[in-house]
Amino acid sequence: MPARTLAVDFGTSNTAAAFLDGGTVRRLMIEDGAETLPTAVFFPADQGGMEIGHQATRALIGGEDGRYMRALKSVLGTALFREPRMIGGKRRTLAQIVTAFLVTLKARAEAQAGVPFDHVLSGRPVHFHSADPVREAQAEVDLRECYSAAGFERIGFLYEPEAAAYATHGLGPAGGVGLIVDIGGGTSDFTVFEAASPRPHILASHGIRLGGTDFDHAISLSHVMPHLGFGSQLRRSLGDGLLPVPNAIFTELATWSKIPFVYTPDTRRSVVDMRRHAVEPERLARLETVVTDQLGHELAFATEAGKIAANRGEAGARIDMGCVEPRLSVEIDTASLDSAMAGFGPRLRAAMVETLHMAEVSPERVGAVIFVGGASAMALVGAEAAALFPRATQHRSDAFTAIIDGLALATGHPEGSRPSAT
């Protein structure tokens, strides 16, 4: 029965669920009447129950004492995923946390749909780790085991851009060639398809590990972290001369998935020592505040908000760092945004070219480029596509629901799933 298969878009930044109800996609309101929820968790310091989604974000912003975690998908396939750490008053692995997230998602979906879901069709990027085949293979194993532990008896996977093609192929010219550009939180995925009815004919899919969290990382390092001491210098304890401030802590603070692991006694002691030897101690004092008061996620949210404002061309856009120091903020505009992200354009274009090569399709044959995924709204992405496909029309589908709609539709055509994606 189709209603027994739950479609799940477990994303780096957001998660959605749906099923096929009498041939119609039915998205499930999985939190507060919303069709999507942030892929985030919060563990209260008093060892209370885990919060997920918007409730987790509200707990963080509200100043509750505890551990906030986001971008869990990005650590699939790594040793960190199975490494026990003290989180929320007990030793847990990220695998256990993802499983608990999926257990809650399954329970909410079943309660709203009124039916049990024994099977799941999950989206997945074309490549979890584009440069590491060992991690790549392990990532799907990790996610499959989490779904199994959450109570699903049969687990299938479909590439996320191919799912988006199921939902949006009608935007392309009938019988023509289209390209899905799916830029999510952690990966960039591409699918070349021929528009057909009732479902598209997939020609090729390709992906790289590059997404919105990488954009945030670059912007944080270029705009925010210098005000905390990134790029500054330290006086030697003995002898003359200066040393650069180590980069590692700034890199971790600028990485969504690593922020929770910065707040250790060793890190705090290291920051105090660096402040004592800093040429610009006021900057390192801010870093000490961030680490001591655990403000990394607040800065990450502020960076993300500044990125969005600058991308929209809003005058006077700034990154608000007032949580660290009253009235502290950083200007961000189109020029500084483009400068921070300059290295990503060639990588995106190369990935699109490779997808065309795999499909044996020339750029001139692409009649439509369809953007999905939240980070596809970045001007850089549209500009690269326009340069490569000047004759193609550009369409912006619903950034957060195209994939989940396509996954639900695909549950009605299981023979349409590519062997490489199941």
Side-chain angles (χ1 to χ4, degrees):
M1 182 172 66
R4 297 292 297 276
T5 300
L6 182 67
V8 175
D9 177 16
F10 177 64
T12 301
S13 300
N14 296 280
T15 291
F19 70 102
L20 206 56
D21 187 5
T24 300
V25 173
R26 181 178 166 191
R27 299 177 199 148
L28 295 168
M29 304 292 182
I30 46 182
E31 185 186 44
D32 296 337
E35 295 174 343
T36 62
L37 80 163
T39 310
V41 300
F42 183 85
F43 291 92
D46 62 6
Q47 300 186 35
M50 181 184 81
E51 303 281 2
I52 74 169
H54 292 99
Q55 292 176 335
T57 304
R58 282 194 291 269
L60 171 72
I61 295 174
E64 293 185 31
D65 191 15
R67 180 70 65 87
Y68 177 87
M69 308 180 78
R70 185 179 170 186
L72 300 170
K73 184 178 177 180
S74 65
V75 294
L76 288 167
T78 69
L80 179 62
F81 194 67
R82 298 174 184 274
E83 180 181 316
R85 289 176 179 260
M86 189 62 66
I87 300 172
K90 63 181 293 187
R91 295 188 71 79
R92 313 170 196 260
T93 66
L94 295 182
Q96 292 170 328
I97 293 171
V98 169
T99 297
F101 182 95
L102 294 175
V103 166
T104 302
L105 179 70
K106 183 175 186 288
R108 291 182 182 182
E110 290 176 338
Q112 187 173 140
V115 296
F117 292 108
D118 301 322
H119 308 152
V120 64
L121 179 63
S122 175
R124 57 149 291 174
V126 179
H127 293 296
F128 289 95
H129 299 277
S130 50
D132 190 327
V134 175
R135 285 187 174 185
E136 170 66 23
Q138 185 61 45
E140 184 174 301
V141 170
D142 287 344
L143 188 53
R144 184 182 296 275
E145 289 182 357
C146 289
Y147 275 116
S148 179
F152 291 102
E153 297 175 2
R154 190 174 71 192
I155 301 149
F157 291 97
L158 182 65
Y159 292 152
E160 290 158 357
E162 295 186 8
Y166 268 82
T168 65
H169 66 96
L171 295 175
V177 174
L179 172 71
I180 298 291
V181 177
D182 172 22
I183 316 294
T187 55
S188 295
D189 292 316
F190 311 90
T191 286
V192 179
F193 66 91
E194 289 180 339
S197 182
R199 55 188 182 273
H201 175 53
I202 305 298
L203 299 179
S205 294
H206 179 54
I208 57 176
R209 189 178 170 93
L210 174 67
T213 56
D214 298 288
F215 300 163
D216 292 346
H217 179 269
I219 296 164
S220 180
L221 287 180
S222 63
H223 289 71
V224 174
M225 294 302 156
H227 294 271
L228 305 182
F230 179 56
S232 59
Q233 296 177 309
L234 304 174
R235 295 183 178 87
R236 295 177 183 271
S237 298
L238 298 173
D240 298 326
L242 301 173
L243 297 170
V245 173
N247 292 338
I249 186 172
F250 302 103
T251 299
E252 292 180 352
L253 274 174
T255 305
W256 278 101
S257 60
K258 294 183 178 180
I259 292 171
F261 307 114
V262 171
Y263 312 129
T264 66
D266 285 346
T267 299
R268 287 193 290 271
R269 284 192 292 269
S270 176
V271 170
V272 169
D273 183 65
M274 286 192 292
R275 177 175 58 79
R276 289 171 180 163
H277 293 85
V279 173
E280 300 174 286
E282 69 281 1
R283 294 179 185 264
L284 274 297
R286 293 170 184 157
L287 177 62
E288 185 178 354
T289 297
V290 170
V291 174
T292 301
D293 295 346
Q294 300 188 9
L295 301 175
H297 281 107
E298 282 87 341
L299 288 179
F301 277 116
T303 301
E304 185 179 46
K307 173 192 71 176
I308 293 170
N311 187 62
R312 291 172 177 167
E314 295 180 12
R318 305 189 72 84
I319 298 174
D320 183 2
M321 298 178 64
C323 62
V324 180
E325 180 181 295
R327 297 179 298 280
L328 178 64
S329 67
V330 184
E331 182 179 359
I332 181 170
D333 56 22
T334 302
S336 67
L337 182 66
D338 289 346
S339 177
M341 297 178 57
F344 299 135
R347 293 177 61 187
L348 291 171
R349 186 184 296 205
M352 286 188 275
V353 169
E354 177 62 21
T355 312
L356 295 180
H357 176 74
M358 293 168 63
E360 299 182 347
V361 168
S362 66
E364 293 75 21
R365 286 188 59 198
V366 177
V369 179
I370 302 169
F371 300 97
V372 299
S376 69
M378 298 302 295
L380 167 74
V381 179
E384 289 296 335
L388 192 56
F389 311 107
R391 299 179 182 177
T393 58
Q394 293 193 1
H395 303 271
R396 296 199 176 274
S397 182
D398 191 313
F400 299 110
T401 58
I403 291 174
I404 192 59
D405 287 355
L407 287 168
L409 289 169
T411 65
H413 301 284
E415 72 278 8
S417 300
R418 290 158 58 83
S420 59
T422 58

